[in-house]
Amino acid sequence: MELTVYLAGEIHNPWREELRTQAIKWNLPLTFTGPMEDHDRSDLIGEKILGKQPTTVLRDETASSINNLRTQILLSKSDVVIAYFGDQYKQWNSAMDAATAITLNKPVILIRDEKLHHALKELANKAQLVVETPEQALKALAYIFE
Amino acid sequence: MELTVYLAGEIHNPWREELRTQAIKWNLPLTFTGPMEDHDRSDLIGEKILGKQPTTVLRDETASSINNLRTQILLSKSDVVIAYFGDQYKQWNSAMDAATAITLNKPVILIRDEKLHHALKELANKAQLVVETPEQALKALAYIFE
Amino acid sequence: MELTVYLAGEIHNPWREELRTQAIKWNLPLTFTGPMEDHDRSDLIGEKILGKQPTTVLRDETASSINNLRTQILLSKSDVVIAYFGDQYKQWNSAMDAATAITLNKPVILIRDEKLHHALKELANKAQLVVETPEQALKALAYIFE
Amino acid sequence: MELTVYLAGEIHNPWREELRTQAIKWNLPLTFTGPMEDHDRSDLIGEKILGKQPTTVLRDETASSINNLRTQILLSKSDVVIAYFGDQYKQWNSAMDAATAITLNKPVILIRDEKLHHALKELANKAQLVVETPEQALKALAYIFE
Amino acid sequence: MELTVYLAGEIHNPWREELRTQAIKWNLPLTFTGPMEDHDRSDLIGEKILGKQPTTVLRDETASSINNLRTQILLSKSDVVIAYFGDQYKQWNSAMDAATAITLNKPVILIRDEKLHHALKELANKAQLVVETPEQALKALAYIFE
Amino acid sequence: MELTVYLAGEIHNPWREELRTQAIKWNLPLTFTGPMEDHDRSDLIGEKILGKQPTTVLRDETASSINNLRTQILLSKSDVVIAYFGDQYKQWNSAMDAATAITLNKPVILIRDEKLHHALKELANKAQLVVETPEQALKALAYIFE
Amino acid sequence: MELTVYLAGEIHNPWREELRTQAIKWNLPLTFTGPMEDHDRSDLIGEKILGKQPTTVLRDETASSINNLRTQILLSKSDVVIAYFGDQYKQWNSAMDAATAITLNKPVILIRDEKLHHALKELANKAQLVVETPEQALKALAYIFE
Amino acid sequence: MELTVYLAGEIHNPWREELRTQAIKWNLPLTFTGPMEDHDRSDLIGEKILGKQPTTVLRDETASSINNLRTQILLSKSDVVIAYFGDQYKQWNSAMDAATAITLNKPVILIRDEKLHHALKELANKAQLVVETPEQALKALAYIFE
């Protein structure tokens, strides 16, 4: 049995890379997918494909169409979602991805520093598991294969 | 025909009250529901019902259990969701409520100031309609009854 | 028992009015809903609510957001859909409404002149019933109450 | 990860072939499916299998039964749908396929020339992405694998 | 609380009437729906509404379109289905209605004489309850209101 | 807005009566449903309706057919489920009712003494709220109407 | 692409064997599943596994539990269902299997001699395709791979 | 065709091992999954991953979060569930797993000694098959491949 794990959230720190490296070390049969991790590429993908847009709102709209296309397809193919919340940015699309997965009956593991707990409390309550580090999330997935 | 409208999001400005007043003036057959609007009541409801909790995380957890119970029931009874994003706070539960409604195939009207658009772009793309004021949201609902 | 009937399709001839009149004559417990029947109102509703848009595509996009909001809510509240196809216009949203209803497991009655059959053959095959006049559609609904 | 892409719509120009060729050049792990592209074969398949039919409507009905069987199975196996609208024909089954996919929660990429936008505006609003050329659609799919 | 009960199956004996009379005597808050009970009306409804058909198969096809329209709508509005099997006829549409209801997660009460059990064994196993008389079926519904 | 509450679990103490009385005192718009509370009636209902059965297993099977018919219908009509676990009996049908409701996306409030927590921990984790007394459960429902 | 085809219905003639042979000849990527074709094995499987039962109804009940287990699993893994109706027996489980598949949104191809059409008319109307011979059914599946 | 079988229930006797051994002997294409079978590992997994918890209820809560994560993922990947009930412990999570599988439309085979039948009667009625030994359960699965 293999599992596909969608890695939602924070793209400005190397948590995905750490997780992928650790999973290989532990020899876990996991395939990881996730959003575009290059912030500029993600913001500009709309204009890159569809050409210059007349307004910033439209540039955003074309980019988000394509980012959401990517997310919808990858989420639908995932068995479990790990969502990492950092202390910067609004991260509304991370919250959206997590809630979408939960509503589609895919379990979500939330990673967040305890100091973020208050603001995240409703989402934490809906997640299947709340941890503080990527390694803890990976240990929980490893437990499934024991 | 009557519609039930869940008013998600921002609880620190009077937008819900304005919307309710306007709906009555326009004689629209709308019933409004929404989260607890008294911030302290919402944060303390867990301890109020279940008693003093040993840690702040647990106080939050008991409160969010009860707030999510409320939201799950009211969302399931709603025909459409209006979600208002302000410029303060993380508002992750607002994003969660909106994404949950969309995934349950209930249309969402997003209210946000244009300057928030970039951070909200993926959620905006999934919403059925994006407006800037509560009055615009209400006009869109009024149009359904014409 | 009462039924709610969504009347999709053609807005440039008086078939909805005839159907409503006939239903009252026959004393049928039917409530009818449908799209905005005033073509200009439907095309301009986006700018009417959200203000002047920079391009025609955007004017269309804002209008269709609000028209689809209306349709999604009314379709979700309907028990059966009648879709009328005339011989003018592309009527792609009529085909979309019919297919959406069928996929949501709501039965669709298709009204079309026999000469349109070839172009409509795949949709006709998925509809629960194909008739040529609104009166035939209404007779089929009347049969449910016998 | 591999994706299966259903190519709905227009069968009288070589857009599918171009798309398949380009996907191979770009080395994308995509499998393409779609409707019968030989118009006559598609129109006559009913009589070919079931024998001569008494009326043209019946010839159409037997053909559409078999075409819809094909579409239902291939759509159910696809991860994403690309729907191409040209400027000829009614193309109601293209609109039907797109709306069916959307309602089944499969993302749709719409290809259409901008001059068709007005007639397609409600469908465009429900599609996850609207582009003008097959190459743009393919670039959006390629982005998922970056 | 009121329940809507769809009475599927056998239309050539007065079991529905007995059930309706008994329910009134026992003062049960039940609304009964069901198929057209006049056999000829049911067989001829297609031609009655759509006009003379060229072949018997087509006469049947038009009739069944309209009978299925009726059944789909009434089944979707029912809380529970009672299906009565007699010892004559093929009664394939009764089996179809029962299986459809079960798959839609609506409980089915099967009424059949014990001597029919062998032929009905797979359907009996999927029904929520198997009884031998309409009065037993009604007693089971009455129990829900105790 | 009114809510229908299914009261699952323990039938040998008067918790349902207390809850009903309290709800009236607090003037809450709640309708309560639940299993047959007379233990003997519940165990014997099969033979009562279907006649003497040859074995005890069959007596149980006929009774459970009818009890499950009742539960399936009442659960499908409920907005929220309260499940009370006492310290006697196996209460496997209480666990089944709670898990069924959760899987159907209906929120469950679990009432149990803290000393039962270990055995109930997996079910408690899936419930939306865990409390120790019926009054706490009712306070949580009352909060929805504030 | 490969398809899994569940072959429901008639087990007393060699239609399944003919179909399997023909599919190999035509080199079609089809996997066939179906019910137990040995009538006695199917009737006796309950007692074979669970031991002698006290009554014939119970022997039937244990057999049908196991036959339905088989059907539920195989149906859930199939892409399309072919259902063959002969002129003998009640064949209620064939009708049940076909209706179950249709309600689960799996297309059904019905094979029946035209003289059975009247009794099958409601089921025929819900099937995606009605043919008279297994070879016609197979040709329709072959068409999907063209 | 291969089947994945989730083995729910009793972890203090070697029934899973016997079943796995027997399946290999009979050469059945079955993959077995199930809960953590080491009781202490299962109870302590929360603290093992998340660190020492302040109360026993919290230790249980963290453990059950991770056990339910495991179960939700493995259940979602299973084709059929076998649930074994012994005569010790409350086994509420076994009942929960069985009811969850049934509600998700996955068939459940219940193994229990006949003397447990009364307490299990409602769950037995919802299971697709009730047997007394693991070998009987395996024979039923073997029958699917005949």
Side-chain angles (χ1 to χ4, degrees):
Chain A
M1 198 188 63
E2 305 199 348
L3 296 179
T4 300
V5 189
Y6 185 83
L7 301 175
E10 172 74 79
I11 60 173
H12 302 89
N13 87 30
W15 72 279
R16 283 186 185 77
E17 199 41 44
E18 284 166 35
L19 212 117
R20 285 189 279 247
T21 310
Q22 195 67 36
I24 290 170
K25 265 198 214 147
W26 291 353
N27 212 16
L28 296 173
L30 300 174
T31 303
F32 295 103
T33 60
M36 167 50 56
E37 294 174 48
D38 174 339
H39 194 147
D40 284 349
R41 176 86 175 133
S42 160
D43 275 4
L44 300 173
I45 186 65
E47 293 198 331
K48 190 79 192 174
I49 293 181
L50 296 168
K52 187 70 184 162
Q53 299 297 311
T55 68
T56 359
V57 167
L58 274 176
R59 192 184 59 190
D60 280 353
E61 175 60 16
T62 53
S64 62
S65 287
I66 296 169
N67 286 320
N68 281 349
L69 174 73
R70 176 181 176 129
T71 310
Q72 184 179 356
I73 289 174
L74 296 180
L75 262 190
S76 80
K77 291 197 158 280
S78 67
D79 300 302
V80 54
V81 171
I82 299 180
Y84 184 109
F85 283 81
D87 51 10
Q88 288 183 300
Y89 306 96
K90 292 295 193 182
Q91 304 177 79
W92 284 323
N93 50 358
S94 306
M96 174 182 90
D97 291 349
T100 302
I102 291 164
T103 311
L104 292 172
N105 205 22
K106 294 177 188 284
V108 167
I109 303 175
L110 204 65
I111 308 176
R112 59 96 186 89
D113 192 273
E114 197 177 309
K115 70 176 178 260
L116 287 178
H117 192 265
H118 185 69
L120 268 176
K121 68 180 191 296
E122 270 78 26
L123 193 50
N125 175 259
K126 291 189 93 167
Q128 182 52 46
L129 179 63
V130 181
V131 301
E132 295 187 23
T133 68
E135 192 176 31
Q136 290 173 331
L138 199 62
K139 279 180 179 166
L141 292 182
Y143 175 73
I144 298 171
F145 297 98
E146 287 184 15
Chain B
M1 199 187 62
E2 305 198 347
L3 296 179
T4 300
V5 189
Y6 185 83
L7 301 175
E10 172 73 79
I11 60 172
H12 302 90
N13 86 31
W15 71 280
R16 283 184 185 78
E17 198 42 42
E18 286 165 34
L19 212 116
R20 284 188 279 248
T21 310
Q22 194 69 36
I24 290 171
K25 264 198 218 149
W26 292 352
N27 211 16
L28 296 173
L30 300 174
T31 304
F32 296 102
T33 61
M36 166 52 55
E37 294 174 48
D38 173 339
H39 194 149
D40 284 349
R41 177 86 176 133
S42 161
D43 275 4
L44 300 173
I45 185 66
E47 292 198 331
K48 191 78 192 175
I49 293 181
L50 297 168
K52 186 72 184 162
Q53 299 298 309
T55 67
T56 357
V57 167
L58 274 175
R59 192 184 59 189
D60 279 355
E61 175 61 16
T62 52
S64 62
S65 288
I66 297 169
N67 286 321
N68 281 349
L69 174 73
R70 175 181 177 128
T71 310
Q72 185 179 355
I73 290 173
L74 296 180
L75 262 190
S76 79
K77 291 195 158 283
S78 67
D79 299 301
V80 55
V81 171
I82 299 179
Y84 184 111
F85 283 79
D87 53 9
Q88 287 184 302
Y89 306 96
K90 293 295 193 180
Q91 304 178 79
W92 284 323
N93 49 358
S94 306
M96 175 183 89
D97 292 349
T100 302
I102 291 164
T103 312
L104 293 171
N105 205 23
K106 294 176 189 283
V108 167
I109 302 175
L110 204 65
I111 308 175
R112 58 97 188 88
D113 192 274
E114 197 177 310
K115 69 174 178 262
L116 288 177
H117 192 265
H118 186 69
L120 268 175
K121 69 181 188 299
E122 271 79 25
L123 194 50
N125 174 259
K126 292 189 92 169
Q128 182 53 46
L129 179 63
V130 181
V131 301
E132 295 187 23
T133 68
E135 192 175 31
Q136 290 173 332
L138 199 62
K139 279 181 180 166
L141 293 182
Y143 175 72
I144 298 171
F145 296 99
E146 287 183 15
Chain C
M1 199 188 62
E2 306 198 347
L3 296 179
T4 300
V5 189
Y6 185 84
L7 302 175
E10 172 74 79
I11 59 173
H12 303 88
N13 85 31
W15 71 279
R16 284 184 185 78
E17 199 41 44
E18 284 167 34
L19 212 116
R20 285 188 279 248
T21 309
Q22 194 68 35
I24 289 170
K25 263 198 218 149
W26 292 352
N27 211 15
L28 296 172
L30 301 174
T31 304
F32 296 103
T33 61
M36 166 51 56
E37 294 174 48
D38 175 338
H39 195 149
D40 284 348
R41 176 85 176 135
S42 161
D43 275 3
L44 300 173
I45 186 65
E47 293 198 331
K48 190 78 192 174
I49 294 182
L50 296 168
K52 186 73 184 161
Q53 299 297 311
T55 68
T56 356
V57 167
L58 274 175
R59 192 183 60 189
D60 280 354
E61 174 62 16
T62 52
S64 62
S65 287
I66 296 169
N67 286 321
N68 280 350
L69 173 74
R70 176 180 175 128
T71 310
Q72 185 178 355
I73 290 174
L74 296 180
L75 262 190
S76 79
K77 291 196 158 280
S78 67
D79 299 302
V80 54
V81 171
I82 299 179
Y84 184 110
F85 283 80
D87 52 9
Q88 287 184 301
Y89 306 97
K90 293 295 192 181
Q91 305 177 77
W92 284 323
N93 49 356
S94 306
M96 175 182 89
D97 291 348
T100 301
I102 291 164
T103 312
L104 293 172
N105 206 23
K106 294 177 190 282
V108 167
I109 302 174
L110 205 63
I111 308 176
R112 59 97 187 87
D113 193 89
E114 197 178 310
K115 70 174 178 262
L116 288 177
H117 193 264
H118 186 69
L120 267 176
K121 68 180 188 299
E122 271 77 25
L123 193 51
N125 175 259
K126 292 190 91 167
Q128 182 52 46
L129 179 63
V130 181
V131 301
E132 295 187 23
T133 68
E135 192 175 31
Q136 290 173 330
L138 199 62
K139 279 181 179 166
L141 292 182
Y143 175 72
I144 298 172
F145 296 99
E146 288 184 14
Chain D
M1 199 188 62
E2 305 198 348
L3 295 180
T4 300
V5 189
Y6 185 83
L7 302 175
E10 172 74 79
I11 60 173
H12 302 90
N13 87 32
W15 70 279
R16 283 185 186 77
E17 199 42 44
E18 285 166 34
L19 212 115
R20 286 188 279 248
T21 310
Q22 194 69 34
I24 289 170
K25 264 198 217 149
W26 292 353
N27 212 17
L28 295 173
L30 301 174
T31 303
F32 296 102
T33 60
M36 166 51 55
E37 294 173 48
D38 174 339
H39 195 147
D40 283 349
R41 176 87 176 132
S42 160
D43 274 3
L44 300 173
I45 185 66
E47 292 198 331
K48 190 80 192 174
I49 293 181
L50 296 168
K52 186 72 183 161
Q53 300 298 310
T55 67
T56 358
V57 167
L58 274 175
R59 191 184 59 189
D60 280 354
E61 174 61 15
T62 53
S64 61
S65 288
I66 297 170
N67 287 322
N68 281 349
L69 174 72
R70 175 181 177 127
T71 309
Q72 184 178 356
I73 289 174
L74 296 180
L75 261 191
S76 79
K77 291 197 158 282
S78 67
D79 300 302
V80 54
V81 171
I82 299 180
Y84 184 110
F85 283 79
D87 53 9
Q88 287 184 303
Y89 306 97
K90 292 295 193 182
Q91 305 177 78
W92 285 323
N93 48 359
S94 306
M96 175 183 89
D97 292 349
T100 302
I102 292 164
T103 312
L104 292 172
N105 205 22
K106 293 177 190 284
V108 168
I109 303 175
L110 204 65
I111 308 176
R112 57 96 187 90
D113 192 273
E114 197 176 310
K115 71 176 177 260
L116 288 177
H117 192 266
H118 185 68
L120 269 175
K121 67 181 191 298
E122 270 78 26
L123 194 50
N125 175 258
K126 291 189 93 169
Q128 181 53 46
L129 180 63
V130 181
V131 301
E132 294 187 24
T133 69
E135 192 175 31
Q136 290 173 331
L138 200 62
K139 280 182 180 165
L141 293 182
Y143 175 72
I144 298 172
F145 296 99
E146 288 183 15
Chain E
M1 198 188 64
E2 305 199 347
L3 295 179
T4 300
V5 189
Y6 185 84
L7 302 174
E10 173 73 81
I11 60 172
H12 303 89
N13 87 32
W15 70 280
R16 283 186 185 78
E17 198 42 42
E18 285 167 35
L19 212 116
R20 284 187 280 248
T21 310
Q22 196 66 39
I24 289 169
K25 264 198 218 148
W26 293 352
N27 211 16
L28 295 172
L30 301 174
T31 304
F32 296 103
T33 61
M36 165 51 55
E37 294 173 48
D38 175 339
H39 194 147
D40 285 349
R41 176 86 176 133
S42 160
D43 275 3
L44 300 173
I45 185 66
E47 292 198 331
K48 191 77 192 173
I49 293 182
L50 296 168
K52 187 72 184 161
Q53 299 297 311
T55 69
T56 357
V57 167
L58 273 176
R59 192 185 59 190
D60 280 354
E61 174 62 15
T62 52
S64 62
S65 288
I66 296 169
N67 286 321
N68 281 350
L69 174 73
R70 177 182 174 126
T71 310
Q72 184 178 355
I73 290 173
L74 295 180
L75 262 190
S76 79
K77 291 195 158 282
S78 68
D79 300 302
V80 54
V81 170
I82 299 179
Y84 184 110
F85 283 80
D87 52 10
Q88 287 184 301
Y89 307 96
K90 294 294 193 183
Q91 305 176 78
W92 285 322
N93 48 358
S94 306
M96 175 182 88
D97 291 349
T100 302
I102 291 164
T103 311
L104 293 173
N105 205 25
K106 295 177 189 283
V108 167
I109 302 175
L110 205 63
I111 308 176
R112 58 97 188 88
D113 193 90
E114 195 176 312
K115 71 177 178 259
L116 288 178
H117 192 264
H118 185 70
L120 268 176
K121 67 180 190 299
E122 271 77 26
L123 193 51
N125 174 259
K126 291 189 93 168
Q128 181 53 44
L129 179 63
V130 181
V131 301
E132 295 187 23
T133 67
E135 192 176 30
Q136 291 173 330
L138 199 62
K139 279 181 179 165
L141 292 182
Y143 175 72
I144 297 171
F145 296 99
E146 287 183 15
Chain F
M1 198 187 63
E2 305 199 346
L3 295 179
T4 300
V5 189
Y6 185 82
L7 302 174
E10 173 73 80
I11 61 172
H12 302 89
N13 86 32
W15 71 279
R16 283 185 186 77
E17 199 41 44
E18 285 166 34
L19 212 116
R20 284 188 279 248
T21 310
Q22 194 67 38
I24 290 170
K25 262 198 219 150
W26 292 353
N27 211 15
L28 296 173
L30 301 174
T31 303
F32 296 102
T33 61
M36 166 50 56
E37 294 173 48
D38 174 339
H39 194 149
D40 285 349
R41 176 89 177 132
S42 159
D43 275 3
L44 301 172
I45 184 66
E47 292 197 332
K48 192 76 192 175
I49 293 181
L50 296 168
K52 187 71 185 161
Q53 299 297 309
T55 68
T56 357
V57 167
L58 273 176
R59 192 184 58 189
D60 280 355
E61 174 61 15
T62 51
S64 62
S65 287
I66 297 169
N67 286 322
N68 280 350
L69 174 73
R70 176 181 176 128
T71 310
Q72 184 178 354
I73 290 173
L74 296 180
L75 262 189
S76 79
K77 290 195 159 283
S78 68
D79 300 302
V80 55
V81 171
I82 299 179
Y84 183 111
F85 283 80
D87 52 10
Q88 288 184 302
Y89 307 95
K90 293 294 193 181
Q91 304 177 80
W92 284 323
N93 49 358
S94 306
M96 174 182 90
D97 291 349
T100 302
I102 291 164
T103 312
L104 292 172
N105 205 24
K106 294 177 190 281
V108 168
I109 302 174
L110 205 65
I111 308 177
R112 58 96 186 88
D113 193 90
E114 195 177 311
K115 71 176 178 259
L116 288 177
H117 192 264
H118 186 69
L120 268 175
K121 69 181 189 296
E122 270 78 26
L123 194 50
N125 174 258
K126 290 189 93 167
Q128 181 54 44
L129 179 63
V130 182
V131 302
E132 295 187 23
T133 68
E135 192 176 30
Q136 290 173 331
L138 199 62
K139 279 181 179 167
L141 292 182
Y143 175 72
I144 297 171
F145 296 99
E146 287 183 15
Chain G
M1 199 188 61
E2 305 199 346
L3 295 180
T4 300
V5 189
Y6 185 84
L7 301 174
E10 173 72 81
I11 60 174
H12 302 91
N13 87 30
W15 71 279
R16 283 185 186 77
E17 199 40 45
E18 285 166 34
L19 212 115
R20 284 187 281 247
T21 310
Q22 194 68 38
I24 290 169
K25 262 197 219 150
W26 292 352
N27 210 16
L28 295 174
L30 300 174
T31 304
F32 295 102
T33 61
M36 166 51 55
E37 293 174 48
D38 174 339
H39 193 148
D40 285 350
R41 176 87 176 132
S42 159
D43 274 3
L44 300 172
I45 185 65
E47 292 197 330
K48 191 78 191 173
I49 293 181
L50 296 168
K52 186 72 184 162
Q53 299 298 309
T55 68
T56 358
V57 167
L58 274 175
R59 191 184 59 189
D60 281 354
E61 174 62 15
T62 52
S64 62
S65 287
I66 297 168
N67 286 322
N68 281 350
L69 174 73
R70 175 180 176 129
T71 310
Q72 184 178 356
I73 290 174
L74 296 180
L75 262 190
S76 79
K77 290 196 160 283
S78 68
D79 299 303
V80 55
V81 171
I82 299 179
Y84 184 109
F85 283 80
D87 53 9
Q88 288 185 302
Y89 308 96
K90 292 295 192 182
Q91 306 176 79
W92 284 323
N93 48 359
S94 306
M96 174 183 89
D97 292 349
T100 302
I102 291 164
T103 312
L104 293 172
N105 205 24
K106 294 177 190 283
V108 168
I109 302 175
L110 205 65
I111 308 175
R112 58 98 186 87
D113 192 272
E114 195 177 311
K115 70 175 178 261
L116 288 177
H117 192 265
H118 186 69
L120 269 176
K121 68 181 189 297
E122 271 78 26
L123 194 50
N125 174 259
K126 290 189 94 167
Q128 181 54 46
L129 179 63
V130 181
V131 301
E132 295 187 24
T133 69
E135 192 176 31
Q136 291 172 331
L138 199 62
K139 279 181 180 166
L141 292 183
Y143 175 72
I144 298 172
F145 296 99
E146 287 181 17
Chain H
M1 197 189 63
E2 306 198 346
L3 296 179
T4 300
V5 189
Y6 185 84
L7 301 174
E10 174 72 82
I11 60 173
H12 302 89
N13 88 31
W15 71 280
R16 282 186 186 77
E17 198 41 44
E18 285 166 34
L19 212 118
R20 284 188 280 246
T21 310
Q22 195 67 37
I24 289 169
K25 264 198 218 149
W26 292 352
N27 211 17
L28 295 173
L30 300 174
T31 303
F32 296 103
T33 61
M36 166 51 56
E37 293 174 49
D38 175 339
H39 194 147
D40 285 349
R41 177 86 176 133
S42 159
D43 274 4
L44 299 173
I45 185 65
E47 292 198 330
K48 192 77 191 174
I49 293 181
L50 297 169
K52 187 71 184 161
Q53 299 297 310
T55 68
T56 358
V57 167
L58 273 176
R59 191 184 59 189
D60 280 355
E61 174 62 15
T62 53
S64 62
S65 287
I66 296 170
N67 287 321
N68 281 351
L69 174 73
R70 176 181 176 128
T71 310
Q72 184 179 354
I73 289 173
L74 296 180
L75 263 190
S76 79
K77 290 196 159 282
S78 67
D79 299 303
V80 55
V81 170
I82 300 180
Y84 184 109
F85 282 79
D87 53 10
Q88 288 184 301
Y89 306 95
K90 293 295 193 180
Q91 305 176 80
W92 285 323
N93 48 358
S94 306
M96 174 182 89
D97 291 349
T100 302
I102 291 163
T103 312
L104 292 172
N105 205 23
K106 295 177 189 283
V108 167
I109 302 175
L110 205 63
I111 308 175
R112 59 95 185 91
D113 193 273
E114 195 177 310
K115 71 176 178 258
L116 287 178
H117 192 265
H118 186 69
L120 267 175
K121 68 180 190 297
E122 271 78 25
L123 193 50
N125 174 260
K126 291 189 92 166
Q128 181 53 45
L129 180 62
V130 181
V131 302
E132 294 186 24
T133 68
E135 192 175 31
Q136 290 172 331
L138 199 62
K139 279 181 180 165
L141 292 183
Y143 175 73
I144 297 172
F145 297 99
E146 286 182 18

